[in-house]
């Protein structure tokens, strides 16, 4: 194709096939808006003989990265393979060979984002990663450009589609965890290794990326305290619902007194909070900026076409600027701030908590437990006891705002009581103010 911008796709799985399909379906519109046609010149895969969801001409497929990185005609490399390596090496080599890069790889960007952005700047090419957070939701460009004039102090979001899909299926359809996970995998939402989704790692990668854009500080994802959803039981989902809450996996970044609270954790969200109504693979981000005030973005956080949409936006933006050779300079990432001190929440933060104890059904048990909590300055907001007539019954407590360290000390003492069978669950309660 004459005068087209030549690109290469690294990977044509869930997201790669979404990009392919959008390019085919909206080809004329894309050419019109970009000012130049976009042509896929090569597609890197592991297995060139594998059957694909989209029909890619056989002569485009290659298993050799040299066919792409050494081809001077290819101006944009679109990395959609996943994992740290070889994706990181391939991105680096592309930039060093003066090619712009678009990626949806949160593992690479959360670990090496700053280094790669600086490398791209030195090589006068672009590195874009809109698809790496929030699937189709354009959160990166919004923070980077549209909200660039704001000081951001809060980001609270549901940023993993797989876990939100699983929790929705468990809550609304009574589907068990394993079945819901299989369904999420079939729909193309889960990572190649889905433990990254369910253990909260994927959300920590994304929170790390959001943190360096919104607050200018790169926090290694492994330093973000996180808990996934594997310990959420059907019982807790039901009790939470009876108390007026929905359990969601939240990612939170809050700045106060020059410090950042960062964590990924399951939480009881009050049903009147907008995040409680975010279901299935949808994601949502609730943000507070000093000029815009409260702001929310909502959309499909995973899946072939929604993520393909975000990736295509980046490709088109770069392709449109290629003839002029001077892409937009406006970018929050022009100013990193290494001085923000991080406050890790690990057992030290404050919050409201839901606690499920399994206790002997006997008079005086509640009194004994509330006295022990009181001794550690843990005050109870509400108590519910279920299932009378059995020997062991659940006792559910919601605390007022407490110091987690003090709550842990109280619960260590309580679990030794002979009337306490187990401390079955401790979950945060999201405070309505965001
Ligand atoms: P996927 O379905 O597993 O597809 C991966 C593709 O990359 C396959 O075509 C595979 O080739 C190719 N590939 C993997 N390793 C390779 C290697 N070493 N050399 C050559 N080709 C290789 O993955 P995906 O779900 O599309 O995800 C891709 C990326 O997007 C990941 O970083 C993921 O985190 C991110 N992402 C995914 C979603 C989503 O909804 N799925 C949303 C946002 C971001 P073969 O087909 O030959 O094996
Ligand atoms: N596995 C990821 C998720 C894909 O479920 O959110 C989107 O980043």
């Amino acid at each position: 194709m004459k005068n087209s911008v030549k690109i290469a796709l690294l990977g044509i799985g869930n997201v790669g096939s979404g990009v392919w399909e959008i390019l085919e379906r909206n080809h004329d519109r894309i050419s019109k808006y970009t000012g130049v046609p976009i042509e896929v010149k090569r597609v890197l895969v592991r297995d060139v003989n594998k059957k694909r969801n989209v029909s890619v001409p056989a002569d485009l497929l290659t298993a050799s990265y040299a066919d792409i990185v050494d081809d001077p005609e290819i101006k944009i490399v679109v990395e959609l393979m996943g994992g740290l390596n070889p994706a990181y090496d391939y991105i680096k080599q592309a930039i060093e060979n003066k090619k712009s890069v678009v990626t949806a790889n949160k593992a690479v960007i959360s670990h090496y984002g700053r280094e790669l952005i600086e490398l791209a700047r030195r090589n006068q090419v672009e590195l874009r990663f809109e698809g790496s957070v929030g699937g189709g939701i354009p959160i990166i460009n919004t923070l980077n450009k549209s909200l660039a004039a704001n000081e951001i102090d809060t980001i609270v979001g549901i940023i993993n589609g797989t876990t939100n899909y699983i929790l929705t299926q468990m809550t609304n359809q009574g589907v068990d965890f394993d079945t819901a996970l299989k369904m999420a995998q079939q729909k193309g939402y889960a990572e190649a290794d889905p433990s990254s989704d369910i253990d909260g790692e994927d959300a920590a990668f994304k929170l790390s990326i959001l943190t360096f854009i919104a607050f200018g500080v790169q926090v290694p994802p492994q330093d973000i305290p996180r808990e996934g959803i594997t310990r959420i039981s059907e019982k807790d989902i039901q009790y939470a619902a009876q108390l007026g809450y929905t359990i969601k996996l939240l990612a939170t970044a809050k700045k106060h007194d020059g410090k950042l609270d960062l964590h990924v954790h399951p939480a009881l969200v009050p049903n009147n909070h907008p995040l409680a109504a975010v279901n299935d693979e949808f994601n949502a981000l609730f943000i507070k900026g000093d000029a815009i005030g409260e702001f929310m973005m909502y959309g499909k956080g995973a899946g072939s076409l929604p993520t393909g949409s975000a990736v295509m936006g980046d490709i088109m933006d770069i392709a449109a600027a290629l003839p002029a050779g001077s892409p937009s300079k406006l970018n929050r990432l022009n100013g990193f701030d290494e001085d923000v001190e991080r406050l890790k929440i690990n057992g030290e933060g404050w919050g409201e908590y839901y606690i499920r104890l399994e206790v002997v059904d006997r008079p005086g048990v509640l009194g004994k437990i509330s006295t022990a909590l009181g001794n550690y300055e843990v005050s109870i907001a509400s108590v519910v006891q279920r299932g009378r007539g059995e020997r062991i019954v659940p006792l559910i407590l919601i605390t007022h705002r407490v110091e987690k360290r003090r709550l842990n000390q109280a619960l260590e003492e309580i679990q030794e009581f002979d009337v306490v069978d187990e401390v079955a669950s401790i979950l945060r309660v999201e405070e309505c103010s965001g």
Side-chain angles (χ1 to χ4, degrees):
M1 206 178 293
K2 218 175 151 202
N3 294 330
S4 59
V5 170
K6 313 269 189 305
I7 71 170
L9 303 183
L10 312 187
I12 190 140
N14 291 308
V15 182
S17 54
V19 169
W20 182 274
E21 191 180 329
I22 296 168
L23 259 172
E24 275 198 330
R25 190 198 286 185
N26 293 341
H27 187 268
D28 292 349
R29 184 191 308 276
I30 288 168
S31 301
K32 193 163 91 187
Y33 296 164
T34 311
V36 59
I38 293 170
E39 180 191 347
V40 178
K41 189 171 179 200
R42 298 313 294 257
V43 177
L44 182 77
V45 288
R46 276 180 294 221
D47 176 1
V48 292
N49 297 313
K50 188 165 149 185
K51 193 171 160 7
R52 309 272 158 203
N53 292 337
V54 285
S55 47
V56 182
D59 60 337
L60 262 57
L61 293 170
T62 176
S64 163
Y65 185 50
D67 289 346
I68 290 167
V69 77
D70 294 335
D71 182 340
E73 266 198 346
I74 293 173
K75 298 294 179 209
I76 306 174
V77 168
V78 185
E79 187 279 308
L80 303 169
M81 304 187 303
L84 273 181
N85 270 308
Y88 163 69
D89 284 334
Y90 288 180
I91 291 174
K92 224 171 137 178
Q93 287 174 41
I95 294 172
E96 283 164 350
N97 276 13
K98 312 281 180 205
K99 299 179 193 306
S100 287
V101 172
V102 174
T103 178
N105 190 324
K106 41 267 156 105
V108 167
I109 297 300
S110 61
H111 284 92
Y112 302 110
R114 182 171 186 179
E115 173 198 321
L116 292 172
I117 287 163
E118 283 166 1
L119 186 68
R121 224 172 257 156
R122 282 202 301 279
N123 283 279
Q124 296 180 308
V125 292
E126 294 264 336
L127 171 67
R128 297 290 191 90
F129 43 90
E130 183 62 74
S132 67
V133 182
I137 303 175
I139 180 65
I140 306 282
N141 279 312
T142 301
L143 281 171
N144 255 342
K145 295 184 187 287
S146 313
L147 297 181
N150 283 258
E151 179 173 358
I152 306 287
D153 67 26
T154 300
I155 300 179
V156 180
I158 294 171
I159 55 175
N160 181 270
T162 301
T163 47
N164 203 45
Y165 180 85
I166 293 171
L167 290 172
T168 305
Q169 291 299 315
M170 290 173 76
T171 306
N172 296 351
Q173 313 294 340
V175 175
D176 66 82
F177 184 97
D178 291 338
T179 309
L181 171 58
K182 280 198 192 93
M183 290 159 74
Q185 287 177 295
Q186 279 159 7
K187 287 174 179 285
Y189 305 150
E191 295 302 302
D193 174 2
S195 63
S196 182
D197 295 293
I198 63 179
D199 292 343
E201 181 189 55
D202 178 83
F205 289 159
K206 293 167 177 167
L207 188 60
S208 166
I209 296 172
L210 290 173
T211 300
F212 85 70
I213 294 171
F215 304 107
V217 56
Q218 182 152 30
V219 183
Q222 61 275 17
D223 286 0
I224 296 179
R226 67 174 160 91
E227 189 187 328
I229 63 162
T230 48
R231 289 196 299 165
I232 304 294
S233 73
E234 284 153 33
K235 274 188 188 172
D236 290 318
I237 288 176
Q238 282 166 17
Y239 295 140
Q242 288 166 21
L243 293 165
Y245 296 93
T246 305
I247 299 181
K248 295 288 181 192
L249 184 70
L250 297 186
T252 303
K254 289 184 186 177
K255 186 173 166 188
H256 43 78
D257 302 332
K259 294 180 177 176
L260 269 180
D261 262 1
L262 294 177
H263 44 102
V264 170
H265 57 90
L268 273 74
V269 179
N271 283 341
N272 61 0
H273 191 291
L275 291 176
V278 176
N279 285 324
D280 293 316
E281 79 274 30
F282 281 81
N283 283 192
L285 290 120
F286 176 86
I287 295 163
K288 275 203 242 169
D290 65 343
I292 192 169
E294 294 184 351
F295 170 75
M296 213 168 142
M297 293 187 97
Y298 168 83
K300 287 188 176 167
S304 179
L305 288 172
T307 312
S309 155
V311 171
M312 273 312 303
D314 280 346
I315 297 171
M316 289 170 69
D317 208 18
I318 296 173
L322 275 176
S326 56
S328 160
K329 292 277 186 296
L330 175 60
N331 200 321
R332 265 182 188 274
L333 298 174
N334 289 334
F336 276 106
D337 176 6
E338 286 298 357
D339 298 330
V340 183
E341 196 187 332
R342 272 175 283 134
L343 171 68
K344 290 191 199 145
I345 206 89
N346 274 337
E348 287 154 19
W350 286 73
E352 296 169 20
Y353 288 88
Y354 158 103
I355 301 155
R356 176 164 63 88
L357 303 172
E358 295 291 333
V359 301
V360 174
D361 190 11
R362 187 189 299 162
V365 171
L366 178 58
K368 198 170 170 185
I369 290 167
S370 40
T371 303
L373 288 169
N375 291 341
Y376 288 92
E377 294 163 30
V378 176
S379 131
I380 301 171
S382 57
V383 181
V384 181
Q385 187 173 339
R386 300 282 181 214
R388 291 200 69 88
E390 294 154 48
R391 200 184 80 77
I392 302 288
V393 291
L395 179 68
I396 292 125
L397 309 167
I398 305 252
T399 72
H400 284 297
R401 199 167 154 73
V402 296
E403 197 179 357
K404 182 72 189 316
R405 184 179 59 88
R406 304 288 282 165
L407 176 63
N408 287 345
Q409 288 168 339
L411 291 173
E412 266 172 37
E413 193 175 303
I414 286 169
Q415 73 186 4
E416 297 306 321
F417 292 175
D418 57 357
V419 291
V420 174
D421 190 52
E422 72 169 316
V423 178
S425 305
I426 311 168
L427 292 168
R428 261 180 181 267
V429 177
E430 177 59 17
E431 291 155 55
C432 269
S433 62

Short mmCIF file of all heavy atoms in Angstrom, two decimals, residues 36 41-42 48 57 66 85 120 179 190 200 212 233 248 256 262 269 296 309 321 340 356 363 374 408 411 425-426:
data_model
loop_
_atom_site.label_atom_id
_atom_site.label_comp_id
_atom_site.label_asym_id
_atom_site.label_seq_id
_atom_site.Cartn_x
_atom_site.Cartn_y
_atom_site.Cartn_z
N VAL A 36 -3.69 9.02 6.90
CA VAL A 36 -2.83 8.10 6.17
C VAL A 36 -3.30 6.67 6.50
O VAL A 36 -3.72 6.40 7.63
CB VAL A 36 -1.35 8.33 6.59
CG1 VAL A 36 -1.13 8.14 8.07
CG2 VAL A 36 -0.39 7.46 5.82
N LYS A 41 2.30 -4.90 8.46
CA LYS A 41 3.27 -5.52 7.54
C LYS A 41 3.71 -6.90 8.04
O LYS A 41 3.93 -7.80 7.23
CB LYS A 41 4.49 -4.60 7.37
CG LYS A 41 5.40 -5.11 6.27
CD LYS A 41 6.49 -4.18 5.87
CE LYS A 41 7.33 -4.86 4.77
NZ LYS A 41 8.63 -4.27 4.65
N ARG A 42 3.87 -7.08 9.34
CA ARG A 42 4.26 -8.38 9.88
C ARG A 42 3.50 -8.65 11.18
O ARG A 42 3.12 -7.71 11.89
CB ARG A 42 5.77 -8.47 10.21
CG ARG A 42 6.74 -8.31 9.08
CD ARG A 42 6.45 -9.12 7.85
NE ARG A 42 6.54 -10.55 7.93
CZ ARG A 42 7.54 -11.30 7.47
NH1 ARG A 42 8.59 -10.74 6.91
NH2 ARG A 42 7.50 -12.61 7.52
N VAL A 48 3.49 -20.30 13.80
CA VAL A 48 2.90 -19.73 12.57
C VAL A 48 1.79 -20.63 11.99
O VAL A 48 0.99 -20.19 11.17
CB VAL A 48 3.97 -19.47 11.47
CG1 VAL A 48 4.90 -18.35 11.86
CG2 VAL A 48 4.74 -20.73 11.11
N PRO A 57 -3.11 -13.25 6.46
CA PRO A 57 -2.39 -13.90 5.35
C PRO A 57 -1.09 -14.55 5.86
O PRO A 57 -0.36 -13.95 6.65
CB PRO A 57 -2.08 -12.74 4.40
CG PRO A 57 -3.08 -11.68 4.75
CD PRO A 57 -3.40 -11.85 6.20
N ALA A 66 13.59 -10.62 14.28
CA ALA A 66 14.51 -9.89 13.40
C ALA A 66 13.78 -9.39 12.15
O ALA A 66 14.08 -8.31 11.63
CB ALA A 66 15.68 -10.79 13.01
N ASN A 85 9.34 -10.99 29.76
CA ASN A 85 10.32 -11.28 28.71
C ASN A 85 9.84 -12.37 27.78
O ASN A 85 9.17 -13.28 28.24
CB ASN A 85 11.66 -11.70 29.34
CG ASN A 85 12.52 -10.47 29.58
OD1 ASN A 85 12.73 -9.68 28.67
ND2 ASN A 85 12.95 -10.30 30.80
N ALA A 120 12.67 6.16 25.00
CA ALA A 120 11.91 6.62 23.83
C ALA A 120 12.18 8.11 23.58
O ALA A 120 12.37 8.54 22.44
CB ALA A 120 10.41 6.37 24.05
N THR A 179 -15.88 -22.20 38.42
CA THR A 179 -16.66 -22.10 37.17
C THR A 179 -16.59 -20.67 36.62
O THR A 179 -16.41 -20.47 35.42
CB THR A 179 -18.14 -22.49 37.43
OG1 THR A 179 -18.15 -23.75 38.09
CG2 THR A 179 -18.95 -22.57 36.17
N ALA A 190 -8.97 -13.14 31.08
CA ALA A 190 -7.91 -13.48 32.05
C ALA A 190 -6.53 -13.43 31.41
O ALA A 190 -6.38 -13.55 30.19
CB ALA A 190 -8.18 -14.88 32.60
N GLY A 200 -4.45 -10.53 42.69
CA GLY A 200 -4.35 -9.07 42.80
C GLY A 200 -3.08 -8.50 42.16
O GLY A 200 -2.85 -7.30 42.20
N PHE A 212 2.37 6.29 38.85
CA PHE A 212 3.43 7.12 38.28
C PHE A 212 2.90 8.18 37.34
O PHE A 212 3.51 9.24 37.18
CB PHE A 212 4.66 6.35 37.80
CG PHE A 212 4.68 5.76 36.43
CD1 PHE A 212 4.75 6.55 35.30
CD2 PHE A 212 4.74 4.40 36.29
CE1 PHE A 212 4.85 5.98 34.05
CE2 PHE A 212 4.84 3.82 35.03
CZ PHE A 212 4.87 4.60 33.91
N SER A 233 -15.42 -15.97 50.39
CA SER A 233 -16.32 -17.13 50.37
C SER A 233 -17.72 -16.71 49.95
O SER A 233 -18.10 -15.53 50.05
CB SER A 233 -16.35 -17.78 51.74
OG SER A 233 -17.10 -16.97 52.61
N LYS A 248 -16.09 -6.08 46.24
CA LYS A 248 -15.35 -5.75 45.01
C LYS A 248 -13.86 -5.77 45.30
O LYS A 248 -13.45 -5.50 46.43
CB LYS A 248 -15.72 -4.32 44.55
CG LYS A 248 -17.18 -4.14 44.13
CD LYS A 248 -17.45 -4.83 42.82
CE LYS A 248 -18.86 -4.69 42.32
NZ LYS A 248 -19.14 -5.60 41.21
N HIS A 256 -2.14 11.94 51.15
CA HIS A 256 -2.41 12.94 52.18
C HIS A 256 -1.15 13.18 52.98
O HIS A 256 -0.35 12.28 53.21
CB HIS A 256 -3.60 12.57 53.07
CG HIS A 256 -3.66 11.15 53.51
ND1 HIS A 256 -2.90 10.63 54.51
CD2 HIS A 256 -4.40 10.12 53.03
CE1 HIS A 256 -3.17 9.36 54.64
NE2 HIS A 256 -4.07 9.01 53.75
N LEU A 262 -1.24 3.14 49.29
CA LEU A 262 -1.47 2.34 48.09
C LEU A 262 -1.86 0.94 48.50
O LEU A 262 -1.16 0.33 49.31
CB LEU A 262 -0.19 2.21 47.26
CG LEU A 262 0.39 3.44 46.61
CD1 LEU A 262 1.69 3.08 45.90
CD2 LEU A 262 -0.59 4.02 45.61
N VAL A 269 -18.29 -2.71 49.52
CA VAL A 269 -18.63 -1.38 49.01
C VAL A 269 -20.12 -1.15 49.27
O VAL A 269 -20.95 -1.99 48.89
CB VAL A 269 -18.34 -1.30 47.48
CG1 VAL A 269 -18.72 0.06 46.93
CG2 VAL A 269 -16.88 -1.61 47.20
N MET A 296 -15.49 10.31 37.41
CA MET A 296 -15.49 8.86 37.29
C MET A 296 -15.46 8.43 35.83
O MET A 296 -16.08 9.06 34.98
CB MET A 296 -16.77 8.32 37.95
CG MET A 296 -16.53 6.98 38.59
SD MET A 296 -17.87 6.49 39.63
CE MET A 296 -17.86 4.76 39.22
N SER A 309 -9.58 -1.26 20.97
CA SER A 309 -9.95 0.14 20.75
C SER A 309 -8.91 1.08 21.37
O SER A 309 -8.47 2.05 20.73
CB SER A 309 -11.34 0.37 21.37
OG SER A 309 -11.54 1.71 21.71
N ALA A 321 0.83 11.79 13.63
CA ALA A 321 1.89 12.78 13.89
C ALA A 321 3.16 12.48 13.10
O ALA A 321 4.05 13.33 13.01
CB ALA A 321 2.21 12.82 15.38
N VAL A 340 7.98 11.94 46.90
CA VAL A 340 6.75 11.55 47.61
C VAL A 340 7.07 10.34 48.47
O VAL A 340 7.54 9.32 47.98
CB VAL A 340 5.61 11.23 46.62
CG1 VAL A 340 4.33 10.90 47.37
CG2 VAL A 340 5.40 12.37 45.67
N ARG A 356 -15.88 -11.74 60.19
CA ARG A 356 -16.78 -12.90 60.43
C ARG A 356 -16.05 -13.87 61.35
O ARG A 356 -14.98 -14.37 61.01
CB ARG A 356 -17.16 -13.58 59.12
CG ARG A 356 -18.00 -14.85 59.36
CD ARG A 356 -18.71 -15.30 58.08
NE ARG A 356 -17.81 -15.67 57.02
CZ ARG A 356 -17.29 -16.89 56.83
NH1 ARG A 356 -17.58 -17.88 57.68
NH2 ARG A 356 -16.48 -17.13 55.81
N PRO A 363 -24.93 -17.93 75.45
CA PRO A 363 -25.04 -16.57 76.01
C PRO A 363 -23.69 -16.09 76.55
O PRO A 363 -22.90 -16.89 77.05
CB PRO A 363 -26.05 -16.73 77.15
CG PRO A 363 -26.80 -17.99 76.85
CD PRO A 363 -25.86 -18.88 76.09
N GLY A 374 -12.82 -3.88 72.73
CA GLY A 374 -12.77 -2.58 73.42
C GLY A 374 -11.41 -2.35 74.06
O GLY A 374 -10.89 -1.22 74.03
N ASN A 408 -5.77 -6.26 64.55
CA ASN A 408 -5.06 -7.55 64.45
C ASN A 408 -4.70 -8.09 65.83
O ASN A 408 -4.84 -9.27 66.11
CB ASN A 408 -3.77 -7.41 63.61
CG ASN A 408 -4.08 -7.25 62.14
OD1 ASN A 408 -5.19 -7.51 61.70
ND2 ASN A 408 -3.10 -6.81 61.38
N LEU A 411 -7.80 -9.45 67.47
CA LEU A 411 -8.26 -10.72 66.87
C LEU A 411 -7.33 -11.89 67.21
O LEU A 411 -7.78 -13.02 67.36
CB LEU A 411 -8.43 -10.56 65.36
CG LEU A 411 -9.59 -9.65 64.95
CD1 LEU A 411 -9.60 -9.41 63.45
CD2 LEU A 411 -10.94 -10.22 65.39
N SER A 425 -13.07 -14.40 58.46
CA SER A 425 -12.81 -13.36 57.42
C SER A 425 -12.59 -12.00 58.06
O SER A 425 -13.26 -11.67 59.05
CB SER A 425 -14.01 -13.17 56.49
OG SER A 425 -14.40 -14.34 55.92
N ILE A 426 -11.69 -11.26 57.44
CA ILE A 426 -11.51 -9.83 57.79
C ILE A 426 -11.45 -9.10 56.45
O ILE A 426 -10.57 -9.39 55.63
CB ILE A 426 -10.17 -9.56 58.52
CG1 ILE A 426 -9.98 -10.54 59.68
CG2 ILE A 426 -10.11 -8.12 59.00
CD1 ILE A 426 -8.57 -10.51 60.25
#
